[in-house]
Amino acid sequence: MGMQSKNTASIEDKRAEEKEVVSKMIAIYCRGHKHTTVGLCQDCQGLLDYARQRVDRCPFMETKTFCSTCRVHCYEQSMRTRIREVMRYSGPWMLLYHPILTIRHLIEEQRAKKRQTERGTMP
Ligand code: SF4
Ligand SMILES: [Zn+2]
């Protein structure tokens, strides 16, 4: 795929950004629920490790952008439930704590959704 080689650098950027966003969201969630006083509690660390591993293995990063716009969603059910809860809780705080990262992410998400709609066939 020509597109793949052309976009290799940006695919890795996307992976890195996806992981950064998810790690910040889990941190807000863990802190907000006072799970622990330093870093992440064991459960949240486990969720973060899982999320990072999914993104590393994601076959769709080159064509679509973020997990939030993914129609496949490769998370196993229990992890999916947990990450959804994190997103719901931390989403509103992200703009406040990490405005630039969040706005960039939202713009990228919109672009990805648009591409998916145009293509009509993406997962
Ligand atoms: S949820 Fe979708 S975009 Fe996210 S890692 Fe899994 S397959 Fe990739
Ligand atoms: Zn926690």
Side-chain angles (χ1 to χ4, degrees), residues 37-66:
T37 47
V38 270
L40 292 181
C41 74
Q42 239 179 24
D43 279 356
C44 291
Q45 184 62 54
L47 180 61
L48 177 57
D49 292 343
Y50 181 84
R52 281 188 176 139
Q53 183 206 74
R54 294 326 302 168
V55 172
D56 277 335
R57 292 178 189 173
C58 177
F60 301 118
M61 283 282 150
E62 66 194 52
T63 45
K64 58 165 291 302
T65 314
F66 297 111

Side-chain angles (χ1 to χ4, degrees), residues 11-122:
I11 293 160
E12 286 320 304
D13 288 351
K14 277 187 218 165
R15 278 193 214 276
E17 187 168 313
E18 181 78 50
K19 285 191 263 188
E20 197 185 343
V21 168
V22 82
S23 118
K24 289 196 163 29
M25 292 184 100
I26 292 173
I28 291 170
Y29 178 84
C30 191
R31 217 185 304 132
H33 288 81
K34 303 196 181 355
H35 289 171
T36 177
T37 47
V38 270
L40 292 181
C41 74
Q42 239 179 24
D43 279 356
C44 291
Q45 184 62 54
L47 180 61
L48 177 57
D49 292 343
Y50 181 84
R52 281 188 176 139
Q53 183 206 74
R54 294 326 302 168
V55 172
D56 277 335
R57 292 178 189 173
C58 177
F60 301 118
M61 283 282 150
E62 66 194 52
T63 45
K64 58 165 291 302
T65 314
F66 297 111
C67 299
S68 48
T69 62
C70 180
R71 288 175 210 170
V72 168
H73 222 286
C74 63
Y75 284 49
E76 66 175 63
Q77 193 53 52
S78 66
M79 290 300 194
R80 193 174 172 171
T81 307
R82 287 173 63 195
I83 201 73
R84 278 213 178 122
E85 202 186 317
V86 168
M87 302 282 157
R88 204 166 36 233
Y89 178 87
S90 302
W93 294 107
M94 282 296 283
L95 258 180
L96 188 67
Y97 289 137
H98 310 288
I100 297 182
L101 176 68
T102 305
I103 287 165
R104 202 170 59 211
H105 195 73
L106 289 174
I107 291 171
E108 283 300 322
E109 268 180 14
Q110 283 312 310
R111 285 195 186 132
K113 276 185 197 154
K114 198 161 165 262
R115 278 199 301 270
Q116 280 177 346
T117 315
E118 281 163 6
R119 255 191 228 109
T121 52
M122 283 314 300

